[in-house]
Amino acid sequence: MTADKPLRADAQRNRDALVAKAREVFDAGDFFDLRFDDFARLAGVGTGTLYRHFPTREALAEAVYHGEVAALCDRARRLQATLPAAEALATFLRGMVDHIDAHEGLARTLATLMADRSGALAEGSRALEQAVTDMVAAAVRDGAVRDDVDAGAVMMALHGIGAAHDRPRWRAEADDVITLVLDGLRRPL
């Protein structure tokens, strides 16, 4: 298998503009109110450019999803490089709650659109879980986190937080859940 040929600079700008506009529309919760061709107009590109990069609405959603996962994984790596391991993990998990809160429309739209594309979701979930696994492992090595809880439990807590977004006191409860997770991970003295 060969790697995809890199895009020309103008083609990459057009693709990036389409993904950025789709992300904005998803965040606003207006994704289903637009015709697919409207994304081209909103991004300032032609419909041919839209279809050349994203032949379907689902392909555009997948690109947005992969961009989100990549940004979150990059954030995890930056935190690991700049903070002590336990602090990096805590900052990342609290940041995930901020992210879920700020991008509720995006999460709901992607979940609805990609329900039948579980392979794309699973790939992103694995990448994010690997980032969390790396952070937990670093905190275990530093002696700050117990070694009998794996990152899967942390991911389950994050998924639960996201799924409960409709609760009336969601934000406060989400912060409390992160505190419980962090307290539960802390190595006993």
Side-chain angles (χ1 to χ4, degrees):
M1 179 153 67
T2 61
D4 289 331
K5 181 179 170 185
L7 295 174
R8 295 183 330 257
D10 60 331
Q12 186 65 53
R13 274 191 307 274
N14 288 340
R15 184 185 188 287
D16 293 345
L18 285 161
V19 171
K21 186 50 68 176
R23 188 178 186 283
E24 285 176 30
V25 171
F26 290 167
D27 270 344
D30 297 335
F31 184 79
F32 295 109
D33 297 335
L34 296 176
R35 294 175 316 120
F36 186 52
D37 291 356
D38 290 340
F39 285 99
R41 178 183 52 78
L42 291 170
V45 301
T47 56
T49 299
L50 169 66
Y51 284 97
R52 190 168 30 262
H53 290 289
F54 306 106
T56 65
R57 186 180 294 260
E58 291 78 13
L60 180 57
E62 192 172 323
V64 171
Y65 174 70
H66 286 298
E68 286 300 300
V69 169
L72 291 169
C73 291
D74 286 346
R75 183 169 192 273
R77 284 188 288 277
R78 283 193 315 275
L79 289 170
Q80 276 190 280
T82 59
L83 296 174
E87 187 179 344
L89 178 62
T91 301
F92 182 78
L93 294 178
R94 293 197 186 284
M96 284 295 296
V97 172
D98 292 339
H99 185 82
I100 292 166
D101 193 25
H103 303 292
E104 176 191 3
L106 173 68
R108 290 186 190 282
T109 302
L110 288 173
T112 300
L113 263 178
M114 297 180 69
D116 64 339
R117 298 172 67 93
S118 60
L121 290 174
E123 180 183 328
S125 183
R126 281 190 300 273
L128 193 54
E129 186 163 344
Q130 185 59 54
V132 172
T133 297
D134 293 346
M135 296 181 91
V136 169
V140 167
R141 281 191 304 276
D142 282 0
V145 167
R146 42 194 278 196
D147 61 2
D148 62 339
V149 179
D150 68 17
V154 176
M155 290 301 293
M156 186 178 284
L158 289 173
H159 286 296
I161 288 169
H165 201 280
D166 290 336
R167 292 179 56 84
R169 290 184 4 88
W170 176 85
R171 182 56 202 237
E173 290 174 344
D175 290 335
D176 289 347
V177 170
I178 293 300
T179 298
L180 284 171
V181 168
L182 292 169
D183 286 349
L185 286 172
R186 193 169 293 120
R187 171 172 259 146
L189 298 176

